[in-house]
Amino acid sequence: MSLDPAVQDLVEAGQIARLDLIRFDLPGKSVGYHRGGRPYTYNGLVYLPNRWLSPAGMNSALGVAVTTRTITFSNIPTANPDDAIAKIEEFNYPNAPVIISHLAGDPATDEVLGILASSLYEIDQVRYNKGAIDGKGERSLTLTIDLQPPGRSARGSTLVKRSQAEHQFDNDPTDTCMEYVATTATIPEEWGQRSG
């Protein structure tokens, strides 16, 4: 992938503003966040401010393991009814798509000129972390979300039984390997050749 010429010029000049965005496409609702101080609209979605604490780094993997990423959010819960991350347990979030984008802008005008990088993930798991009790007897609560790349390798490691439709999406539309997946826990199925 090559950078847009306007973005390339900013990079070479060393004068660049970077805006980090994260978008969650939860079942029935899309929500976005950024690390700025006010709501920001990009591609028709309003990105909410001041919640995404850290974009974190990616954890590399060898062999058949997948590369993961962990992100952290603050201020859980919140009174904003449009804040889906604060009430993520209301959604069927496992394997929901997450897009992390890094936009390039002109620091003099704040105009977005293009995309530096964009990564697609799926939600693997969600964890809540309690902070220490402060002088007022209150504690903070943060939300940590583990992400994995989309596709067969990520879904295969979630320890959830796959459906025929998921298997066909990842492999061949006519593959019937998972045809009996719903019955294997209750009905003995015989596989392969029988001898004798």
Side-chain angles (χ1 to χ4, degrees), residues 135-164:
K136 297 178 184 176
E138 298 175 349
R139 68 172 71 220
S140 64
L141 184 64
T142 58
L143 174 71
T144 303
I145 302 174
D146 293 333
L147 305 174
Q148 292 188 353
R152 176 174 44 242
S153 57
R155 275 199 295 275
S157 64
T158 60
L159 306 178
V160 175
K161 193 182 292 185
R162 299 190 68 207
S163 71
Q164 177 76 4

Side-chain angles (χ1 to χ4, degrees), residues 32-114:
Y33 299 91
H34 75 105
R35 297 173 68 198
R38 60 184 180 273
Y40 177 76
T41 302
Y42 181 71
N43 278 350
L45 182 66
V46 176
Y47 287 79
L48 303 175
N50 292 332
R51 297 286 311 292
W52 181 20
L53 292 180
S54 168
M58 291 182 281
N59 299 320
S60 300
L62 298 173
V64 296
V66 295
T67 300
T68 61
R69 191 170 195 168
T70 300
I71 52 177
T72 305
F73 287 84
S74 66
N75 196 21
I76 304 293
T78 182
N80 183 353
D82 293 326
D83 193 337
I85 290 301
K87 50 186 179 183
I88 194 167
E89 298 297 337
E90 295 178 13
F91 296 92
N92 183 18
Y93 63 80
N95 299 325
V98 178
I99 302 171
I100 298 178
S101 299
H102 308 285
L103 306 182
D106 186 334
T109 64
D110 289 335
E111 177 187 4
V112 172
L113 299 176

Side-chain angles (χ1 to χ4, degrees), residues 1-32:
M1 177 179 117
S2 61
L3 293 175
D4 182 275
V7 175
Q8 186 69 39
D9 291 343
L10 283 177
V11 171
E12 289 176 3
Q15 298 292 320
I16 191 168
R18 190 181 95 179
L19 178 62
D20 300 322
L21 303 177
I22 186 164
R23 174 185 177 130
F24 293 87
D25 289 317
L26 300 167
K29 185 170 184 73
S30 292
V31 64

Side-chain angles (χ1 to χ4, degrees), residues 92-193:
N92 183 18
Y93 63 80
N95 299 325
V98 178
I99 302 171
I100 298 178
S101 299
H102 308 285
L103 306 182
D106 186 334
T109 64
D110 289 335
E111 177 187 4
V112 172
L113 299 176
I115 298 174
L116 289 171
S118 187
S119 303
L120 178 63
Y121 295 95
E122 290 180 349
I123 296 176
D124 180 29
Q125 65 178 337
V126 171
R127 293 175 278 129
Y128 296 91
N129 307 304
K130 293 180 182 176
I133 296 176
D134 64 14
K136 297 178 184 176
E138 298 175 349
R139 68 172 71 220
S140 64
L141 184 64
T142 58
L143 174 71
T144 303
I145 302 174
D146 293 333
L147 305 174
Q148 292 188 353
R152 176 174 44 242
S153 57
R155 275 199 295 275
S157 64
T158 60
L159 306 178
V160 175
K161 193 182 292 185
R162 299 190 68 207
S163 71
Q164 177 76 4
E166 281 181 315
H167 185 74
Q168 288 176 340
F169 176 81
D170 285 336
N171 294 285
D172 181 344
T174 60
D175 193 333
T176 59
C177 178
M178 297 290 179
E179 183 176 1
Y180 298 107
V181 72
T183 63
T184 54
T186 56
I187 301 171
E189 300 286 349
E190 292 188 19
W191 298 86
Q193 298 178 346

